[in-house]
Amino acid sequence: MRRFVPVSRQQLARALGGSSVVVKALSGAVVLLYALSFGLDTASGLAVTPGLLLPPGCRLWTLLTHGLVEQRAAAVALSLGTVAAAGRLLEPLWGALELLLFYAAVNAAVGLLGACAYCLAYAATFRLAYLFEVRIHGAPGFLAGVLVALKQTMGDSTVLRVPQVRVKAAPTLLLLLLAGLRLAALVESAALVSYGFGLLSSWVYLRFYQRHSRGRGDMSDHFAFATFFPEILQPAVGLVANLVYGLLVKVRLCRKTVKRYDVGAPSSITISLPGTDPQDAERRRQLALKALNERLKRVEDQTAWPSMEDEEEEVVVKSEGPLPTQSAAAGKAAGHESSLISFEDAPSQP
């Protein structure tokens, strides 16, 4: 553990050293607010309190500041690591401004949805603790957003080798882990609520609203909502998700998917969806071709048998040793032939 801490500090310092102003500003704000928390109650003024978010309290600024508030050293390390990972893996693809917009959108949605969830819990139980004692803050919401974005951009990459865990499964696995820790009373309910709504809000933003050079959103099949669930549940989840999506299209909260057919393509008809990445499609095609070549190679190795000519050559080489030169072979052949002829010409005895 003592060796791990300095290495982690060096890697974090290296990641933040080459990052943009946005990443450095977010990291500096987290550290500053954590230092101020030793003398001030930063959570009461900057974290989301469900009963004070809406009027008459109307603390709307907490929707943008609650993600920066941390009260434990481990939580500070998690927040800095999440911001550094976003700056290193997502910022080169999106840009600093889009990363900041994604951070603000996810945190605002987490704060608003979390406050509404606790208000509904109060309406069902009439416990004032859900309104005035709960503090929604910290990195879980943005952590979920970063994992969802990595699922979108590099979902086939491997996080763990033993057991094998891919990036596309990490958001759901971490949600189940937090749910188990909450049942064991090891984490607060606000952490689970923040992560769950962060996962949902980040997917909605990336799926339908993010602007980029190819249009808006990402309507590719590998980023559908059903892919967050096990394969056995994906058909049922996909049916429900399509019904909800159709309802949102009717109320004009989401746009209908537009398919474009390129009839003039030289090879075949191509279909493109808004938000699909040609580089991602090419990467998946290369992976499929590689897997097909490996399978064909294994089949050829299993069915390949040596020919009869190869076996005869091996037998000759093993029995007679190295082959003589052509001239020596010709001389021996001539000597055998001459001795044969003289034997036939000799007179027979009576």
Side-chain angles (χ1 to χ4, degrees):
M1 186 65 181
R2 294 179 179 177
R3 296 180 180 179
F4 177 75
V5 173
V7 173
S8 301
R9 290 178 178 176
Q10 293 178 0
Q11 293 179 353
L12 182 61
R14 186 181 304 173
L16 294 177
S19 59
S20 65
V21 179
V22 173
V23 175
K24 293 179 180 178
L26 294 176
S27 302
V30 171
V31 175
L32 177 61
L33 291 178
Y34 175 68
L36 293 176
S37 66
F38 290 99
L40 300 174
D41 189 6
T42 56
S44 63
L46 299 178
V48 173
T49 303
L52 300 177
L53 178 63
L54 301 177
C58 201
R59 296 185 177 181
L60 297 179
W61 68 86
T62 58
L63 293 177
L64 299 177
T65 59
H66 71 89
L68 303 173
V69 178
E70 300 290 357
Q71 294 180 324
R72 295 184 179 90
V76 173
L78 177 62
S79 182
L80 294 179
T82 303
V83 174
R88 184 175 182 180
L89 300 176
L90 299 179
E91 188 178 9
L93 301 176
W94 297 350
L97 183 59
E98 176 60 29
L99 180 61
L100 181 61
L101 181 61
F102 178 71
Y103 180 86
V106 171
N107 282 322
V110 166
L112 182 60
L113 294 176
C116 293
Y118 280 109
C119 289
L120 292 177
Y122 166 75
T125 61
F126 295 102
R127 293 180 57 185
L128 289 176
Y130 288 134
L131 294 181
F132 301 105
E133 295 183 8
V134 172
R135 299 288 188 270
I136 301 175
H137 64 88
F142 186 61
L143 173 62
V146 171
L147 292 178
V148 171
L150 293 180
K151 169 185 169 62
Q152 178 194 27
T153 56
M154 46 185 299
D156 293 329
S157 301
T158 302
V159 179
L160 297 176
R161 297 187 180 274
V162 181
Q164 187 174 10
V165 178
R166 297 186 182 276
V167 174
K168 60 183 179 182
T172 306
L173 292 178
L174 188 54
L175 178 63
L176 295 177
L177 178 61
L178 287 176
L181 294 177
R182 176 54 190 164
L183 291 176
L186 296 178
V187 296
E188 299 178 354
S189 62
L192 179 60
V193 170
S194 298
Y195 183 86
F197 285 123
L199 191 150
L200 179 62
S201 60
S202 60
W203 177 81
V204 171
Y205 175 79
L206 296 175
R207 181 75 169 177
F208 301 107
Y209 298 107
Q210 186 186 37
R211 293 183 178 273
H212 42 72
S213 59
R214 303 178 305 277
R216 176 182 290 185
D218 183 0
M219 302 303 296
S220 56
D221 294 336
H222 78 278
F223 196 55
F225 184 73
T227 58
F228 287 90
F229 296 83
E231 294 183 359
I232 191 173
L233 299 177
Q234 288 184 7
V237 175
L239 179 61
V240 176
N242 290 333
L243 293 176
V244 175
Y245 174 67
L247 179 61
L248 294 178
V249 170
K250 289 183 179 180
V251 298
R252 296 184 179 181
L253 291 179
C254 295
R255 293 184 178 182
K256 189 176 181 180
T257 304
V258 180
K259 296 183 179 180
R260 299 173 182 176
Y261 299 90
D262 187 7
V263 184
S267 59
S268 60
I269 297 177
T270 58
I271 304 174
S272 61
L273 297 175
T276 54
D277 192 354
Q279 296 180 356
D280 182 71
E282 179 65 20
R283 177 176 58 84
R284 292 181 176 276
R285 189 178 70 85
Q286 293 295 335
L287 291 175
L289 290 176
K290 183 179 179 181
L292 180 61
N293 292 332
E294 292 178 353
R295 185 175 299 178
L296 291 176
K297 185 178 180 180
R298 288 196 300 267
V299 173
E300 291 178 355
D301 293 339
Q302 293 176 358
T303 58
W305 292 90
S307 61
M308 296 299 295
E309 296 178 357
D310 296 338
E311 291 182 354
E312 291 178 358
E313 290 177 0
E314 291 179 358
V315 171
V316 170
V317 170
K318 291 181 180 179
S319 59
E320 297 183 359
L323 295 176
T325 59
Q326 293 183 357
S327 59
K332 287 186 178 182
H336 289 300
E337 186 176 352
S338 60
S339 61
L340 221 77
I341 293 173
S342 62
F343 176 76
E344 291 179 354
D345 291 346
S348 59
Q349 294 181 359

